[in-house]
Amino acid sequence: MPDALSPTSDAAPPAGPAAVLPGMPLGDLPLDPRTQAVVVAAGVGPLTALHHAPDGPPAGVVLVVPGYTGTKEDHRLLLPELARLGWDAWTYSQRGQGDSTGPDGEDGYGMDLLADDVAEVARAVLAASGTGATQVHLVGHSFGGLVARAAVVAHPELFATVTLLCSGPHGWEGRKAEEREMLLANPHVDLWRLTNPQRAHLPDDDLPPFDAFLRLRAELTHHDQLLAAIDHLADLTDRTEELAATGVPAAVVFGEHDDAWPQEWQRAMAARLGAPVVVVPGTGHCPNEDDAPSTAAVLDAFWRGTSGLAS
């Protein structure tokens, strides 16, 4: 296979629709042997992604959008579980996250731009999947839920369904304000080091492997992406009615112990959307990591139209 288009490469992406190219894993975090690291050569530049082809005939195409401080690796456990249930499963790191390219300046991370990235990636993975599907089932985790909502509002024709995973209808003033101040005061220090000062300079071998990965990811993540994401998380704008007006079927899913967004807000949002609410037992803000099989089963049931999802 040809070399992957590196996120740091000066090479321009191919003309025309975004292409999916071979990629490289980020760090040493273990992946399922059948999960492929790929790159979407998008208009903004290379966006890194993971793909897991389905077991048996494909039921459809799934695209997962990660949240604040997140990357595609947040869903490395979920993709294989979805694939076992027959789904062609994809996730990507948004612009500025981890090893995806990201422009300088907070204005390069406007919600409209992030939404257009989702649409561009969705078109690319539909073409690359070989399934013949014309729409994706979209999942947005936390901050990624805000982005997913904006993408569906702007491009409803691309999406068969949308799932808001541990994500609310809007933000609140002052959210992540302390982290914003830290980032502004330390423009050349990553957020992991800022929030883990006692371990900031330890060698990788002295850190648990997952912490070493988190530090590497933070080193690569663009400060302007984080600052813009914080502003989006603090935005009071509620676009629930706009999402409902698209007619795209929606579901609201969160962990039993999710405390990153008020659960009553998530339930009220679901009611306004006419959407089922599903609580994943025993999980927190990341049911995709806490219990990937149960989370995959919930998503599969929604996508296949199983009744009795509300809880």
Side-chain angles (χ1 to χ4, degrees):
M1 291 190 298
D3 291 339
L5 190 64
S6 166
T8 58
S9 171
D10 292 330
V20 176
L21 305 171
M24 294 290 292
L26 173 58
D28 297 325
L29 206 61
L31 297 174
D32 185 284
R34 288 186 54 204
T35 298
Q36 298 175 310
V38 297
V39 175
V40 179
V44 69
L47 300 176
T48 60
L50 296 176
H51 173 224
H52 200 113
D55 292 353
V61 180
V62 176
L63 178 62
V64 187
V65 185
Y68 172 67
T69 73
T71 52
K72 61 191 182 297
E73 287 75 21
D74 293 344
H75 304 289
R76 70 196 183 282
L77 305 178
L78 181 62
L79 262 57
E81 297 298 333
L82 293 173
R84 290 185 187 100
L85 295 171
W87 299 97
D88 194 58
W90 303 74
T91 184
Y92 77 104
S93 298
Q94 298 190 65
R95 60 170 67 193
Q97 290 185 331
D99 52 351
S100 278
T101 194
D104 293 332
E106 291 180 56
D107 58 354
Y109 300 91
M111 188 57 72
D112 57 339
L113 297 174
L114 301 179
D116 286 347
D117 286 348
V118 175
E120 189 172 15
V121 173
R123 293 187 186 100
V125 303
L126 283 168
S129 72
T131 63
T134 59
Q135 294 179 311
V136 303
H137 294 278
L138 188 63
V139 180
H141 177 245
S142 196
F143 165 66
L146 300 181
V147 178
R149 179 184 64 186
V152 175
V153 169
H155 306 277
E157 72 284 354
L158 283 173
F159 305 108
T161 65
V162 59
T163 301
L164 305 176
L165 179 63
C166 301
S167 186
H170 56 76
W172 57 90
E173 292 181 2
R175 191 174 189 189
K176 305 289 184 183
E178 186 176 338
E179 291 184 7
R180 195 179 206 288
E181 290 303 314
M182 285 194 294
L183 289 165
L184 289 172
N186 300 274
H188 303 297
V189 183
D190 65 77
L191 187 57
W192 191 92
R193 284 182 168 86
L194 291 173
T195 54
N196 294 271
Q198 294 181 337
R199 300 188 294 159
H201 301 294
L202 291 176
D204 281 357
D205 289 346
D206 290 344
L207 290 173
F210 188 63
D211 283 349
F213 167 78
L214 292 178
R215 183 168 66 182
L216 172 63
R217 176 168 77 177
E219 289 173 356
L220 296 172
T221 295
H222 204 301
H223 264 46
D224 290 334
Q225 186 273 332
L226 292 172
L227 291 168
I230 289 171
D231 288 347
H232 291 310
L233 287 168
D235 190 344
L236 300 177
T237 304
D238 185 339
R239 302 185 69 185
T240 304
E241 303 306 328
E242 292 178 74
L243 179 58
T246 67
V248 175
V252 172
V253 180
F254 53 86
E256 179 183 3
H257 307 296
D258 181 18
D259 59 359
W261 236 294
Q263 293 188 12
E264 61 270 25
W265 289 13
Q266 297 185 62
R267 289 185 180 277
M269 177 180 65
R272 292 164 60 199
L273 290 169
V277 175
V278 186
V279 178
V280 185
T283 66
H285 185 55
C286 298
N288 45 296
E289 296 184 87
D290 296 342
D291 188 346
S294 293
T295 304
V298 165
L299 295 171
D300 176 71
F302 171 52
W303 297 330
R304 293 181 187 274
T306 302
S307 61
L309 280 178
S311 63

